[in-house]
Amino acid sequence: MANTLATIAPLLVMFVLFYFLLIRPQQKRQKAVQTMQNELQKGDKVITIGGLHGFVDAMDEGTVVIKCGDGSRLTYDRAAIREVAQKASAQ
């Protein structure tokens, strides 16, 4: 019995460390990104995963239309938004 416990204990410790060092932080990051993407508003300055900077011009269920500096409008998936650089000012 003690021999079995001595064999399993290191595996359990490794799994717990793996969970708290890798899995849990990734889940937190994923949840934060999902919340950010769900809270997008028209006028927010955003940066895409490809590095495009622009303003949210329109939104649909799964897509976002981004207005670039030269006035062109590009359609991206919501998942392509990496971060909100500046929230839209309250008007």
Side-chain angles (χ1 to χ4, degrees):
M1 180 70 177
N3 202 8
T4 305
L5 185 61
T7 305
I8 295 176
L11 292 173
L12 290 175
V13 169
M14 285 176 40
F15 178 75
V16 169
L17 285 174
F18 185 75
Y19 176 78
F20 281 107
L21 293 176
L22 297 174
I23 297 172
R24 193 158 182 251
Q26 178 62 28
Q27 288 175 340
K28 284 180 141 181
R29 274 192 299 271
Q30 217 169 13
K31 187 176 181 180
V33 167
Q34 185 70 33
T35 301
M36 178 271 303
Q37 290 172 348
N38 288 335
E39 293 177 352
L40 285 175
Q41 298 177 18
K42 185 175 179 178
D44 286 350
K45 184 175 182 183
V46 295
I47 303 171
T48 66
I49 56 176
L52 177 81
H53 293 244
F55 292 93
V56 175
D57 190 50
M59 293 180 297
D60 196 1
E61 181 82 18
T63 60
V64 177
V65 177
I66 299 175
K67 185 175 181 181
C68 301
D70 63 354
S72 60
R73 289 174 171 80
L74 303 169
T75 304
Y76 281 86
D77 286 341
R78 244 182 225 260
I81 306 298
R82 184 181 70 198
E83 67 179 280
V84 175
Q86 184 179 9
K87 294 296 284 179
S89 58
Q91 296 176 350

